[in-house]
Amino acid sequence: MNKVLVTGGAGFLGSHLCDRLIARGDEVLCVDNFFTGAKRNVAHLVGRPGFDLLRHDITFPLYVEVERIFNLACPASPVHYQFDPVQTTKTSVHGAINMLGLAKRVRGRILQASTSEVYGDPEIHPQPERYWGRVNPVGIRSCYDEGKRCAETLFFDYQRQHHLDVKVVRIFNTYGPRMHPADGRVVSNFIVQALRGENLTIYGDGSQTRSFCYVDDLVEALLRMMDSEAGFCGPVNLGNPVEFSMLELAEQVLRLVGSASQLVFQPLPSDDPRHRQPDIALARDKLSWEPLVALEDGLKETVAYFRHVLAHG
Ligand code: NAD
Ligand code: UDP
Ligand code: UDP
């Protein structure tokens, strides 16, 4: 049994992670400021032995006694991270400093949820960890991309300077139940639009690609990385390497929902990456991990979730 802090624990990925940690008998302190997360995501855990929920913003110091930290706090969808971009950078940078300071004091192991966005709009495809990326430092996505890049820098400097036990994972597009219905990400947008009988909004011509990982696969990888051998810090890519265009995704969603919605084309947001696909050779080798859930199966679960949310609130 470990005492585990999950920052951003009431969010989409964080709440699934809390579920798995509690199920395996860990003690969990879930910390969240509820900016994009919600109490309802962890309501079923409240009152369970070993689970605690604390409202706190990680840009402020936090003094708690834990052994392991999963640092997931940060809005992840463009709509949300661009709402208050300065706060987004603060969450990544001040938040990382505080959580690293905490890990240093308790001599605990700390994992950072970084992102494929550190590769920006990549010239190399698929993206291996050794690729340094092509990121605009002054655009509308920079608060997120550069904040996450700086957080990675901090993690590796705390490791070199203070011999901290750090783990960095770069998460590629992940989807599943408990995504925020209004977060603007493509999977939630398409499913919610299809269920409501609204037009599906394709940004650009829909030929841009993403690789979508189901949440259960991703959480399994987070746990394996946290439990991996000391000295393996990453960064390690986590995602599903099967790549789809947004048109292909729209088609699948319409078919699974059984919707007659039309596609409407809207302008592509600036700095929107053309392609994104993880090279997961390192995760396969070091974590003996690869995604198991096919897009169609994961989408079915996600559609069922949103059907319920739209019907019952
Ligand atoms: P999410 O928005 O559902 O979860 C983020 C959580 O962090 C929310 O509960 C939010 O309220 C909380 N939070 C935000 N700022 C905070 C602060 N200052 N203090 C405390 N809590 C704060 O997003 P998610 O998809 O679950 O993402 C979780 C992590 O994984 C993020 O760090 C994100 O950057 C990373 N990530 C996710 C994806 C993905 O596709 N889902 C891809 C790459 C990286
Ligand atoms: N910190 C924290 N919780 C702790 C220990 C530290 O939030 O248990 C914060 C503290 O506010 C500090 C930051 O982490 O600003 C970085 O800590 P570190 O020890 O690395 O640096 P210093 O305290 O020397 O600035
Ligand atoms: N996208 C889209 N329609 C939407 C929402 C997003 O076509 O309603 C596109 C978006 O332009 C991007 C891709 O889908 O090319 C993935 O967008 P998302 O915001 O989910 O993730 P990210 O761009 O961060 O990978």
Side-chain angles (χ1 to χ4, degrees):
M1 187 175 84
N2 299 295
K3 284 188 179 170
V4 186
L5 167 62
V6 180
T7 76
F12 161 50
L13 296 180
S15 62
H16 287 277
L17 177 62
C18 289
D19 283 345
R20 285 288 304 274
L21 291 166
I22 288 291
R24 74 178 198 180
D26 285 338
E27 247 178 65
V28 175
L29 174 59
C30 170
V31 164
D32 207 296
N33 69 352
F34 303 122
F35 172 45
T36 51
K39 275 186 199 159
R40 71 168 175 278
N41 287 339
V42 289
H44 57 286
L45 294 175
V46 173
R48 288 273 296 270
F51 183 79
D52 270 319
L53 177 60
L54 175 67
R55 181 182 204 128
H56 174 80
D57 183 322
I58 63 156
T59 62
F60 296 98
L62 176 67
Y63 287 80
V64 290
E65 306 313 313
V66 292
E67 292 152 350
R68 290 177 161 198
I69 303 165
F70 286 92
N71 189 35
L72 270 59
C74 186
S77 83
V79 170
H80 284 145
Y81 69 64
Q82 288 163 10
F83 173 76
D84 184 349
V86 173
Q87 170 68 9
T88 299
T89 303
K90 281 186 187 170
T91 293
S92 278
V93 177
H94 292 184
I97 292 171
N98 286 328
M99 292 308 104
L100 286 161
L102 168 57
K104 182 178 138 210
R105 181 179 58 78
V106 300
R107 297 313 304 173
R109 179 172 277 197
I110 179 165
L111 179 147
Q112 167 69 358
S114 189
T115 168
S116 54
E117 296 285 331
V118 301
Y119 300 121
D121 190 6
E123 308 108 316
I124 291 190
H125 195 73
Q127 295 80 53
E129 290 84 353
R130 65 178 177 279
Y131 176 53
W132 291 350
R134 187 165 76 108
V135 175
N136 175 359
V138 294
I140 57 170
R141 294 176 82 106
S142 311
C143 58
Y144 185 71
D145 302 7
E146 296 288 19
K148 289 284 188 177
R149 285 171 69 95
C150 184
E152 287 200 12
T153 306
L154 284 161
F155 268 68
F156 281 90
D157 280 333
Y158 267 79
Q159 190 267 326
R160 282 183 289 259
Q161 198 174 328
H162 299 301
H163 310 290
L164 212 62
D165 187 3
V166 306
K167 308 271 176 193
V168 175
V169 297
R170 293 180 177 156
I171 302 169
F172 285 63
N173 299 64
T174 301
Y175 70 98
R178 299 190 200 144
M179 290 182 90
H180 197 298
D183 78 359
R185 281 187 268 192
V186 68
V187 173
S188 41
N189 266 13
F190 283 1
I191 294 178
V192 169
Q193 289 162 345
L195 287 170
R196 289 184 172 146
E198 296 167 359
N199 294 332
L200 268 57
T201 49
I202 308 268
Y203 301 161
D205 64 5
S207 64
Q208 73 271 31
T209 68
R210 294 293 188 273
S211 310
F212 297 102
C213 186
Y214 188 61
V215 60
D216 290 358
D217 281 332
L218 199 279
V219 169
E220 175 65 29
L222 293 180
L223 294 170
R224 287 186 189 215
M225 183 60 176
M226 182 57 105
D227 291 339
S228 66
E229 62 189 91
F232 177 56
C233 305
V236 59
N237 288 339
L238 301 180
N240 191 323
V242 184
E243 193 182 4
F244 293 89
S245 71
M246 296 312 101
L247 285 175
E248 287 168 331
L249 176 70
E251 227 166 73
Q252 284 226 31
V253 168
L254 289 177
R255 187 168 50 77
L256 291 174
V257 172
S259 160
S261 294
Q262 307 290 308
L263 307 184
V264 289
F265 293 85
Q266 296 186 355
L268 195 66
S270 63
D271 295 335
D272 199 271
R274 288 285 315 149
H275 299 291
R276 203 179 292 128
Q277 184 189 26
D279 176 336
I280 60 163
L282 187 63
R284 280 198 174 101
D285 177 36
K286 290 287 191 180
L287 309 177
S288 306
W289 172 85
E290 63 182 355
L292 301 175
V293 181
L295 183 64
E296 171 155 358
D297 297 328
L299 285 178
K300 281 183 189 158
E301 297 292 326
T302 315
V303 167
Y305 170 77
F306 280 118
R307 221 185 264 286
H308 182 83
V309 167
L310 295 186
H312 305 284

